[in-house]
Amino acid sequence: MSRTPPRQLALELPHAESLSRDDYLEGPSNVQALGLVERWPDWSNRVMMLVGPEGCGKSHLAAIWAAISGARIVGAHALTSADVPASLATGALVVEHLEPGHFDERAIFHLLNLARETNAFVLMTARMAPASFEIELRDAGSRLRAIPVVTVEPPDDQLLRALLVKFCADRQMAVDEGVVGYLATHIERSFAAARQAVELLDAEALRQRRPITRALAATLFRGQGTLPL
């Protein structure tokens, strides 16, 4: 009686991703957003918003700006009215992941008012511009929709390849141009898809205890068209 050999399980170990300026990859899709961060404090408005799809690098840009400006970082879902004064104590604040229905409208309204009164800087990140939000508190809605928006677009081919190389380096994966080229033409053109592809490839290589090759990438992604998110 034949027995199926046990599958090698890949351990999901944490992989640190650097959020420094030196590790941020610039391309046509994000040049305006990076320019906004590096232009500070010469902004057209003291409150600005970065908008783009999941995994497009908004948090990396926000971290770069926080390091430059001394800003604190808070999740939009966790901000309360009572937290606002302390959050703005340094005169600069990052509000991450502003999503419709997942933030306290009164807290955001209080934040925008206090930031204007104290001349503080605020950088918000969101997947969609506030113009598409349904907001019950009318004054909060009008304030949010008045915030200038800078959009982070999907990466072009050159940036997508550079992202794949970076994500592999973050996980200490040795890959050649054949692997990168194959992935770049078989996954969705997005930051999140590039990260997910590298994670899947790393996990499969560990499971099979084999090197990362174009053949392994083809086994995982052949026929998928684009990698689903």
Side-chain angles (χ1 to χ4, degrees), residues 36 116 118 127 137-139 160 187 197 226:
L36 170 71
R116 184 170 61 179
T118 60
R127 294 183 188 179
L137 189 59
R138 182 179 301 177
D139 289 341
L160 181 63
I187 65 172
T226 59

Side-chain angles (χ1 to χ4, degrees), residues 41 45 58 61 65 78 85 92 106 126 138 146 163 177 190 213 228:
N45 192 302
K58 299 186 299 295
L61 286 166
W65 181 71
R106 294 188 181 280
R138 182 179 301 177
L163 286 166
E177 178 56 34
S190 74
T213 62

Side-chain angles (χ1 to χ4, degrees), residues 53-138:
E54 179 184 0
C56 72
K58 299 186 299 295
S59 291
H60 195 157
L61 286 166
I64 294 171
W65 181 71
I68 296 170
S69 65
R72 298 182 179 184
I73 300 178
V74 63
H77 70 282
L79 185 67
T80 67
S81 294
D83 296 331
V84 168
S87 299
L88 282 176
T90 66
L93 179 67
V94 171
V95 180
E96 282 263 63
H97 312 306
L98 192 74
E99 297 183 17
H102 294 278
F103 63 89
D104 184 330
E105 296 179 6
R106 294 188 181 280
I108 291 296
F109 182 56
H110 181 29
L111 169 69
L112 295 177
N113 284 337
L114 189 59
R116 184 170 61 179
E117 292 171 8
T118 60
N119 290 322
F121 288 91
V122 178
L123 180 64
M124 296 184 171
T125 69
R127 294 183 188 179
M128 302 178 294
S132 63
F133 289 12
E134 291 186 8
I135 300 174
E136 293 182 4
L137 189 59
R138 182 179 301 177

Side-chain angles (χ1 to χ4, degrees), residues 122-222:
V122 178
L123 180 64
M124 296 184 171
T125 69
R127 294 183 188 179
M128 302 178 294
S132 63
F133 289 12
E134 291 186 8
I135 300 174
E136 293 182 4
L137 189 59
R138 182 179 301 177
D139 289 341
S142 62
R143 291 288 177 82
L144 281 172
R145 295 181 183 107
I147 298 173
V149 169
V150 177
T151 303
V152 185
E153 302 290 350
D156 61 8
D157 183 68
Q158 181 178 354
L159 181 55
L160 181 63
R161 288 170 181 261
L163 286 166
L164 288 166
V165 171
K166 178 186 184 300
F167 293 149
C168 287
D170 288 340
R171 303 176 75 89
Q172 299 182 337
M173 295 165 56
V175 296
D176 59 26
E177 178 56 34
V179 174
V180 173
Y182 187 89
L183 291 176
T185 56
H186 287 78
I187 65 172
E188 180 181 282
R189 190 177 297 277
S190 74
F191 292 71
R195 181 180 286 106
Q196 185 186 19
V198 170
E199 290 173 355
L200 290 174
L201 189 59
D202 189 23
E204 187 64 13
L206 288 172
R207 187 186 70 79
Q208 296 189 28
R209 294 185 176 181
R210 60 181 287 190
I212 297 170
T213 62
R214 186 183 184 281
L216 179 60
T219 299
L220 282 174
F221 305 119
R222 181 188 294 118

